[in-house]
Amino acid sequence: MSIIVQKYGGSSVADVGKLRYVAERVMQTARQGHQVVVVVSAMGDTTDELLAMAKQISPNPERRELDMLLSAGERISMALLSLAIRDLGGDAISFTGSQSGIITNDHHVDARIIEVRPFRVHDELPPGRIVVVGGYEGVSYKREVTTLGRGGSDTTAVGMAAALDAEYWEICSDVDGVYSADPRVVPAATRIGTLSYEETQEMAEAGAKVLNAQAVEFAKEKGIAIYARATHGELPGSDPSSDGTVVRKSPPRMPGMVVGIASERDVLVLDSSAPPGDVLALLAERRVPGKQLHVFDSRTTVAISRENLHDEGQLKEVLQARFGGRARVVDDLAAVSGIGAGINATYDNVLTGSATLAGAGIAPSGIATSSFRITWMVPGDRVKEAVRALHEGFIEQQRPLVP
């Protein structure tokens, strides 16, 4: 019997009615003859609500206690889903991250999985049980509860899929796949049928919310297919890309095309003329999650995501005390990115995107590139305009490349 790992996001398990629907969908998968492992996120906005409460208590909450608090959300979901499956006549058992063998490093709030030991999961599957795992959490080698950063339930799911040698990993949410931009911002955005691992990882790093970057990295290493689908959609058929997005090694597409526009609003940029080694040592000491690093001629620039930075006030105070006027934090910027394989083989896409933004009256304060991404730093209050302009220029008006 093949093993299928399914992951359901917070919107899919937001209330009791939705939990019952997910339980029935899980049962349908089991009736097809599969052994099923289900990974669940916290219900709805539970994680945000818990974090907001913590910050009412302390503006800079201690990271270990945050992990103890935030991991509670997934435990509620996993127990309720297990009860719902049993109520439908199925056999289910719920496990926390530690019980299911998710071993992490000792970083709190943004831990990384270093090993998965799914012994208890293996023991429960052969009798026909459905195993429900609380996502987003694990246990460090020091036996501390840890969480994997926002979107970490994806990482739990793909780590479990790799350790169990699953046939595939299905990620289910209220969106039927990965879109060329956020449909709430760009009504003309279209679903992308197939993506490469690298394109998907870059989209996640650039702010797209459908998949987690570390999870895609795991999938790429193990060659696991990812099916991103709507919870209310059918189970995968002979052509999963017909009603979802399939992430695989080599999608049938010519290189050089921009396939998606992603953005991240809450970005800080640290700019410092202090010795680069001193700046990086401070960031490492405080475990600040940097996204992009540039060091040139003794000047250091680091883009930092606010999403996993829970002590911003303390960080600014320490920077001021240590470096004074040699370090400043710019916090009114956003990052807008175009993603696609081979888009930086020439400078054409950089020039086209910059001209498009200029035509919209938006002046980027910086540009960064990788093999699969071009990122423009734009004023935070213009980010939606920038996304719409780049989507229209790169995707809505795009002409297929002829080999």
Side-chain angles (χ1 to χ4, degrees), residues 260-284:
I261 306 296
S263 65
E264 184 172 6
R265 174 63 186 88
D266 286 328
V267 177
L268 303 175
V269 175
L270 168 61
D271 180 46
S272 176
S273 60
D278 293 348
V279 175
L280 298 181
L282 185 148
L283 296 179

Side-chain angles (χ1 to χ4, degrees), residues 61-67 108-110 286-287 289 308:
E62 202 274 328
R63 289 188 165 207
R64 179 189 182 277
E65 301 310 322
L66 266 185
D67 277 353
H108 285 291
V109 177
D110 60 348
R286 301 193 63 82
R287 292 180 176 173
N308 289 319

Side-chain angles (χ1 to χ4, degrees), residues 36-321:
V36 186
V37 176
V38 185
V39 176
V40 289
S41 297
M43 298 173 68
D45 297 324
T46 299
T47 301
D48 289 334
E49 291 167 359
L50 291 172
L51 182 58
M53 280 193 285
K55 291 196 171 183
Q56 289 177 26
I57 299 294
S58 169
N60 298 291
E62 202 274 328
R63 289 188 165 207
R64 179 189 182 277
E65 301 310 322
L66 266 185
D67 277 353
M68 296 295 285
L69 174 68
L70 299 181
S71 61
E74 277 67 22
R75 299 187 184 205
I76 294 170
S77 296
M78 74 187 196
L80 289 175
L81 181 58
S82 184
L83 289 171
I85 292 170
R86 286 181 167 275
D87 192 59
L88 292 173
D91 189 6
I93 184 171
S94 63
F95 286 146
T96 64
S98 60
Q99 288 173 322
S100 59
I102 305 294
I103 312 300
T104 76
N105 60 17
D106 65 345
H107 286 204
H108 285 291
V109 177
D110 60 348
R112 290 182 67 87
I113 295 175
I114 58 176
E115 187 179 3
V116 180
R117 303 173 184 171
F119 304 122
R120 293 193 67 183
V121 176
H122 266 303
D123 289 345
E124 298 294 342
L125 286 175
R129 271 186 170 174
I130 294 166
V131 178
V132 183
V133 176
Y136 178 60
E137 62 167 278
V139 62
S140 76
Y141 54 84
K142 295 180 179 179
R143 293 189 170 277
E144 289 282 352
V145 172
T146 55
T147 61
L148 306 176
R150 299 310 295 263
S153 292
D154 290 1
T155 316
T156 302
V158 76
M160 192 61 62
L164 295 171
D165 194 23
E167 181 178 341
Y168 62 81
W169 165 41
E170 185 183 14
I171 175 171
C172 302
S173 67
D174 55 357
V175 181
D176 62 339
V178 182
Y179 274 68
S180 55
D182 186 340
R184 294 168 297 183
V185 177
V186 183
T190 56
R191 181 176 53 80
I192 306 170
T194 58
L195 282 168
S196 70
Y197 293 117
E198 293 84 0
E199 288 169 334
T200 309
Q201 191 168 3
E202 289 284 10
M203 289 189 75
E205 291 280 9
K209 301 298 184 184
V210 177
L211 290 164
N212 172 278
Q214 186 187 355
V216 179
E217 180 184 325
F218 265 104
K220 177 184 175 182
E221 289 176 359
K222 301 296 183 179
I224 299 170
I226 304 173
Y227 296 168
R229 310 172 61 77
T231 301
H232 286 267
E234 297 295 325
L235 297 176
S238 58
D239 180 15
S241 66
S242 64
D243 57 357
T245 297
V246 182
V247 179
R248 63 188 195 188
K249 184 176 181 180
S250 301
R253 183 168 49 246
M254 289 293 292
M257 297 175 62
V258 176
V259 298
I261 306 296
S263 65
E264 184 172 6
R265 174 63 186 88
D266 286 328
V267 177
L268 303 175
V269 175
L270 168 61
D271 180 46
S272 176
S273 60
D278 293 348
V279 175
L280 298 181
L282 185 148
L283 296 179
E285 172 191 323
R286 301 193 63 82
R287 292 180 176 173
V288 175
K291 295 176 70 72
Q292 295 175 13
L293 167 67
H294 300 277
V295 178
F296 181 75
D297 196 21
S298 298
R299 192 165 201 91
T300 305
T301 303
V302 185
I304 302 167
S305 173
R306 264 200 178 102
E307 202 163 51
N308 289 319
L309 181 67
H310 300 299
D311 56 355
E312 179 182 336
Q314 284 185 345
L315 174 63
K316 290 180 177 178
E317 290 174 5
V318 171
L319 285 168
Q320 177 63 32

Side-chain angles (χ1 to χ4, degrees), residues 179-182 186 199 201-208 257-265 267 291-292 303 334-340 343-344 349 353 357 366-370 372-378 383 386-391 394-395:
Y179 274 68
S180 55
D182 186 340
V186 183
E199 288 169 334
Q201 191 168 3
E202 289 284 10
M203 289 189 75
E205 291 280 9
M257 297 175 62
V258 176
V259 298
I261 306 296
S263 65
E264 184 172 6
R265 174 63 186 88
V267 177
K291 295 176 70 72
Q292 295 175 13
V336 182
S337 302
I339 293 95
I343 63 172
N344 287 312
N349 286 318
L357 292 173
I367 302 174
T369 66
S370 73
F372 292 82
R373 174 183 46 79
I374 306 167
T375 298
W376 291 268
M377 300 302 296
V378 302
V383 60
V387 169
R388 285 190 284 265
L390 291 175
H391 190 275
F394 277 125
I395 296 175

